[in-house]
Amino acid sequence: MKEDEKTEKLRKIKEEVLKCRKCDLCKERIKNNFFPVVGEGNHNAEIIFCGEAPGLNEAKTGRPFCGQAGIVLDNLLNYINLRREDVYICNVLKCRPPGNRDPKEEEIRACSPYLSSQIDIINPKIICPLGRYSMRFIFEKYNIRENRTISKIHGKVYQVQVKTLKEITSFIKIIPLYHPAVAVYNPNMIEILKKDFGVLRGVI
């Protein structure tokens, strides 16, 4: 798929998200004059980073990972010689849960089709779910049967075979990672994140 075609399809998803009323999170967003956080980055990206849900800074700006966790992510990208412009960054939920609480199952069910379509359109070679909710959704999307928690499998590489929108068979590598916010609350985690990003660098 050509880049302009991808851009048009992704633009339509953004329009759908702006009009979305599938769950109550839209009410919180509208009440607080927040933005949905649809996604940002290279529409031809080989790597997608997928978080869980927007935080307060993200909801105020409409940009993913623009707060403290975003600084950690930017530093980790720089560590493996990547920039935001090289990758695509998005979340499972497009609207911020009140108080940054965890996503609810019904919210994920309502919102995740947008993410699934984004992934199919961009057609990356690598997907890095950031955090357990994102990991769970990506594993379900690609029928990966794995019962261990992210604390046991972070940095592990899974390879799955998929068909693109053009019915072409390809392979995607999935590398679950801790959410960058863990290093905000526990600076000692940055070394673990660097090690896992080193795994990513090795498969690029």
Side-chain angles (χ1 to χ4, degrees):
M1 191 186 304
K2 294 181 179 179
E3 185 173 5
D4 57 350
E5 188 179 354
K6 289 183 177 183
T7 298
E8 178 60 19
K9 287 180 178 292
L10 291 169
R11 184 189 64 78
K12 288 181 178 178
I13 290 174
K14 183 176 182 178
E15 289 180 353
E16 290 176 19
V17 171
L18 285 167
K19 295 183 290 187
C20 182
R21 300 294 185 269
K22 293 179 182 177
C23 77
D24 287 342
L25 290 182
C26 68
K27 297 177 183 177
E28 286 290 317
R29 171 168 59 80
I30 294 168
K31 181 179 73 175
N32 292 288
N33 290 317
F34 287 157
F35 293 97
V37 182
V38 183
E40 179 179 271
N42 189 337
H43 295 172
N44 279 327
E46 294 190 350
I47 306 169
I48 287 181
F49 289 92
C50 178
E52 299 179 348
L56 181 59
N57 289 316
E58 288 76 16
K60 287 181 176 180
T61 62
R63 298 190 61 221
F65 285 87
C66 63
Q68 288 182 292
I71 293 172
V72 175
L73 179 58
D74 287 345
N75 289 338
L76 289 165
L77 289 172
N78 184 62
Y79 176 68
I80 59 172
N81 299 314
L82 287 176
R83 304 167 301 162
R84 278 188 179 240
E85 293 81 6
D86 300 320
V87 303
Y88 193 82
I89 303 173
C90 51
N91 288 296
V92 176
L93 297 188
K94 306 307 185 189
C95 297
R96 175 184 181 246
N100 290 349
R101 63 159 170 74
D102 289 340
K104 295 180 179 179
E105 289 299 323
E106 60 268 26
E107 294 165 351
I108 293 173
R109 283 196 301 271
C111 203
S112 57
Y114 298 125
L115 170 60
S116 186
S117 294
Q118 288 174 300
I119 293 171
D120 292 343
I121 291 165
I122 294 169
N123 188 29
K125 293 183 179 179
I126 301 168
I127 301 174
C128 296
L130 304 171
R132 67 186 187 276
Y133 290 96
S134 176
M135 179 190 75
R136 187 185 307 162
F137 170 73
I138 296 297
F139 278 10
E140 287 177 359
K141 176 175 171 62
Y142 292 104
N143 296 311
I144 297 174
R145 300 189 182 279
E146 175 61 85
N147 295 320
R148 291 177 293 174
T149 63
I150 196 165
S151 64
K152 303 294 184 183
I153 62 172
H154 62 90
K156 181 176 172 60
V157 181
Y158 297 80
Q159 181 166 284
V160 294
Q161 187 173 347
V162 298
K163 284 189 176 181
T164 68
L165 294 178
K166 299 288 187 179
E167 292 298 309
I168 299 171
T169 300
S170 62
F171 291 92
I172 292 179
K173 289 184 173 66
I174 297 169
I175 308 173
L177 303 169
Y178 279 118
H179 195 285
V182 300
V184 175
Y185 304 113
N186 181 2
N188 293 328
M189 290 294 294
I190 195 64
E191 294 305 318
I192 294 174
L193 282 163
K194 282 184 174 180
K195 183 178 179 181
D196 289 349
F197 269 71
V199 173
L200 171 59
R201 177 171 52 194
V203 300
I204 294 175

